[in-house]
């Protein structure tokens, strides 16, 4: 394919993608647009596991001050592939936070993840987030 033809195709592709629109979440009038973030905390450590008292202290000292409006914790059993290729199966905690889509919330979540990883010798904390329509 000639250089000018490749350039035209690239230009066309760029123009088409810039015209694409992102799907917008349409909430009912009695609902707020917020974000739901779920963090998945494994409990296996190099030596031992994160115990219930340690987890509760982490929630009280690290999570609650950053999200005092509320949170939900669900105990789970999970697995994931570690950086060394090993499949790790472990008891986990799923922490769900519903919050504004803003820099302050993102920063608070990043701090929670960093504190858990460093405090409990964790390789990763999985984070998912999605837009939500919320009413109380």
């Amino acid at each position: 394919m000639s250089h000018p033809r490749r350039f035209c195709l690239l230009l066309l592709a760029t123009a088409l993608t810039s015209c694409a629109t992102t799907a917008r979440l349409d909430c009912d009038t009695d609902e707020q647009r917020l974000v739901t973030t779920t963090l998945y905390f494994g409990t296996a450590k190099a030596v031992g596991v994160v115990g219930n008292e340690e987890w509760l202290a982490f929630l009280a000292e690290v999570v609650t001050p950053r999200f005092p409006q509320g949170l939900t914790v669900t105990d789970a059993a999970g697995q994931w592939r570690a950086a060394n290729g090993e499949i790790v199966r472990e008891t986990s905690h799923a922490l769900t936070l519903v919050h504004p889509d803003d820099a302050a919330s993102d920063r608070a979540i990043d701090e929670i993840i960093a504190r858990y990883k460093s405090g409990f010798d964790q390789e990763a904390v999985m984070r998912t987030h999605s837009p939500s329509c919320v009413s109380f």
Side-chain angles (χ1 to χ4, degrees):
M1 186 180 299
S2 68
H3 178 69
R5 190 169 190 189
R6 270 187 267 163
F7 177 77
C8 287
L9 286 174
L10 178 61
L11 186 62
L12 177 62
T14 303
L16 289 174
T17 57
S18 65
C19 293
T21 59
T22 305
R24 181 171 162 83
L25 185 62
D26 291 324
C27 297
D28 290 339
T29 56
D30 62 334
E31 297 175 323
Q32 302 175 58
R33 272 189 212 91
L34 296 173
V35 175
T36 299
T37 297
T38 303
L39 303 175
Y40 298 87
F41 299 92
T43 58
K45 298 191 285 189
V47 176
V49 297
V50 177
N52 192 52
E53 286 183 21
E54 290 174 301
W55 171 249
L56 293 175
F58 178 79
L59 283 176
E61 297 165 14
V62 178
V63 180
T64 299
R66 288 167 176 81
F67 290 94
Q69 65 272 26
L71 55 92
T72 300
V73 175
T74 307
D75 290 330
Q79 72 177 43
W80 71 295
R81 184 182 307 271
N84 65 5
E86 177 186 352
I87 299 292
V88 177
R89 291 174 181 86
E90 60 188 326
T91 300
S92 304
H93 302 288
L95 171 66
T96 303
L97 304 165
V98 179
H99 57 86
D101 188 9
D102 59 16
S105 296
D106 285 341
R107 189 170 39 258
I109 291 167
D110 290 342
E111 291 168 0
I112 290 167
I113 292 169
R115 292 279 300 272
Y116 193 80
K117 286 169 62 176
S118 67
F120 298 111
D121 191 29
Q122 297 292 303
E123 191 174 314
V125 171
M126 186 171 81
R127 174 183 183 173
T128 63
H129 71 271
S130 58
S132 300
C133 293
V134 179
S135 64
F136 296 95

